[in-house]
Structure formats: C-alpha cells, structure tokens
Amino acid sequence: MSNITIFMPSLLTLTGIPGLESVQCWIGIPFCVMYLIAMIGNSLLLLIIMSECSLHEPMYIFLGLLGITDIVLSSSIVPKMLGIFWFHIAEIYFDSCLIQMCFIHTFQCMESGILLAMALDRYVAICYPLRHASIFTHQLVAQIGAVVTLRAIILVAPSLLLIKCRFQFYHTTVISHSYCEHMAIVKLAAENVRVNKIYGLFVAFTVAGFDVIFITLSYVQIFITVFRLPQKEARLKAFNTCIAHICVFLQFYLLSFFSFFTHRFGSHIPPYIHILFSSLYLLVPPFLNPIVYGAKTKQIRVHVVKMFSSENPP
C-alpha cells in the first residue's frame, strides 16, 4: 500500500482479472454466452409460470422469484464485466460501484432466502401432503417473499452506510476485481476497516449459516419420510420432485463457500483463480437454474414443448 492517500475519489478502476489481462477478451465469450442463456432461460421460465394457471402454485411462484433474482443479479455485473474485457472501459463512478455492490449482495441474500423457502415448501408437501394447500397459501407465499426481500435490504444496507460514513481517505482507486464487491471496496480504505470486516462476516454467516442449517434439516426430514414410504414408485416420485432443488442448492452454496473462504483465508491461492471463481459464483446459478428446473420438472418441460410446438406447427 502507498503512503499517499486520496480524499473521497469520484472514480474507481476495475482491473478485471489480474494476471489474465491478455486473455480477458476470450474469457468474455463464455461469460457472455452464459449470460445470454441465463437471460433467455429465466425469461422463458417466468413467461411460462405467469401464463399457465396450473403453475400458480407455491413451488412455481418461488421458482419465478428465483428467476427474477437471477436476471437482476447477472445483469448487475455482466454488462460492466464485458465492458472491461472487450472495450477496456475500466472506470466506474464511486457511487455506481456502491450501487453495484448493494445489488449484488442484496440479490445474493434474496436468492439464498428463496432457496430456503423452496426447501420448506418441499418439506411440507412431502411430510404433510394433506396440509400443504392450507399451510402454503398465496398469502403466506407473498409474506415469505416480502420477508426475504426485507431481510436482504436490512442486512446489506448497513454495509453501504459503513463505507459512505466511515471512509474518507483511500490508499488507491484501483480495485483488483471484475466487479464491485464489499471486501474489495473496503480494502481500498486508508482507515480502520475492522468494523466493516466484522459486519461483512456477520452478514455472511447470518444468511448462509441460517439458511444452510434449515435447508439441511428440511431435507433430512424429507429423506426420512421418503424412505419410509412403502412403495418404490412413491419413493421415486417424491424424491424426483426434490432433485432439481438439491442440484441448485448444492451448486449455489458450494461455489459460495469456496469464493468466501478463498477470499479471506486463501492468501496462497493466485488472485486470478479467486476472481474467476467468484465471478462464476455469480454467473453459474442464473445460467444453470432454468436448465436444471426445465430438465427435471415435468410440468415446465411439458409447457416448454407446448409453447414451441404451437409456435412452429407442422
């Protein structure tokens, strides 16, 4: 770090992927393809769920909320990232950087909350099938959506205020990252960052810890119930309704924990590996979610085939 400090910079510079500058233009191609597939897939998923009355059930409503979250999350980082990779537009206004940071962390938190809501929905549907309709009413689904959104805003907003109100002097204006992430911005400050680091850890462990524990407990109960079913066909049918969600849950949290721990404790890991994985952590879930749910959910598969066959009659 330099001894020179900068007072309240108006512009910051994103470097992209340090160490891979010469091949960033090529890295941008698969990133762009994943982004386009994520946008098309999630938009198609939303269109099907909104247009088909038979899909206006809690599981599909949560899936629609997940699609909206994925669209906003990927759109908040990929256009700027491709601008860095392809057109060398590295500068970003300080306030725009903070807004991007808030969007990323807010919608990450919302995605985690929606995955928890989907796990609880499957738990009630399999363990208490006769009571599912009376428990998971549309009113409860709306309340869960509101709570998930408010929780994300309430937890992420203080991190923005802590940066805006506490920091005036910065060591540098260069962020060695491809997007504006909380710790990447905090590390620029020339002042005591302990409070910001502690709060960042608190939010991460509050959200991920709470959600992972309850999702895991839900699926433990689901598996116990499923394996107690007397008929093999009933076991397979019940288990099949959970496969897509388990796949989405695993890929989201495995990438999340890898990115989190390498960022804080992986000092021996080359920076480009950390940044590549942290970028993939934000890109892969929006890309995979519509593919996984489209492939594993029969009702969605049927409506996709119906949509395209009606648009292209023989």
Side-chain angles (χ1 to χ4, degrees), residues 23 76 95 98 107 111 125 156 159 279:
V23 293
S76 65
D95 288 339
L98 292 180
F107 282 91
E111 181 147 0
V156 173
S159 63
S279 300

Side-chain angles (χ1 to χ4, degrees), residues 99-169:
I99 291 170
Q100 186 189 53
M101 180 200 80
C102 282
F103 265 82
I104 290 169
H105 295 302
T106 299
F107 282 91
Q108 279 179 317
C109 183
M110 285 176 62
E111 181 147 0
S112 182
I114 293 167
L115 290 175
L116 172 59
M118 293 173 80
L120 294 176
D121 172 68
R122 290 300 84 205
Y123 165 71
V124 175
I126 292 172
C127 299
Y128 304 98
L130 299 179
R131 296 172 57 190
H132 180 261
S134 61
I135 293 173
F136 268 87
T137 61
H138 284 88
Q139 183 181 1
L140 179 64
V141 171
Q143 289 170 347
I144 290 172
V147 168
V148 165
T149 304
L150 283 173
R151 180 187 74 159
I153 294 170
I154 290 168
L155 286 174
V156 173
S159 63
L160 171 66
L161 296 174
L162 284 171
I163 292 173
K164 285 290 285 183
C165 299
R166 295 189 73 243
F167 301 149
Q168 291 185 317
F169 296 95

Side-chain angles (χ1 to χ4, degrees), residues 183-254:
M183 282 306 300
I185 299 173
V186 167
K187 286 178 179 179
L188 304 181
E191 299 165 68
N192 190 334
V193 300
R194 184 185 295 264
V195 173
N196 299 73
K197 285 184 175 181
I198 291 171
Y199 186 75
L201 287 169
F202 165 75
V203 172
F205 281 110
T206 299
V207 174
F210 180 86
D211 293 353
V212 169
I213 288 169
F214 277 91
I215 290 172
T216 304
L217 290 174
S218 297
Y219 274 97
V220 167
Q221 289 298 316
I222 286 170
F223 289 146
I224 290 171
T225 303
V226 167
F227 288 128
R228 283 177 178 171
L229 293 173
Q231 296 179 334
K232 183 180 178 181
E233 292 77 12
R235 289 198 299 269
L236 288 174
K237 184 178 179 182
F239 187 70
N240 195 51
T241 62
C242 303
I243 287 291
H245 185 260
I246 292 170
C247 293
V248 169
F249 163 69
L250 287 175
Q251 58 90 13
F252 179 79
Y253 284 107
L254 286 176

Side-chain angles (χ1 to χ4, degrees), residues 17-19 176 266-278:
I17 305 176
S176 298
S267 56
H268 60 287
I269 298 175
Y272 66 86
I273 292 180
H274 161 66
I275 292 171
L276 268 177
F277 271 92
S278 62

Side-chain angles (χ1 to χ4, degrees), residues 11-26:
L11 279 175
L12 299 175
T13 302
L14 290 162
T15 60
I17 305 176
L20 297 179
E21 290 87 353
S22 59
V23 293
Q24 282 185 162
C25 59
W26 301 108

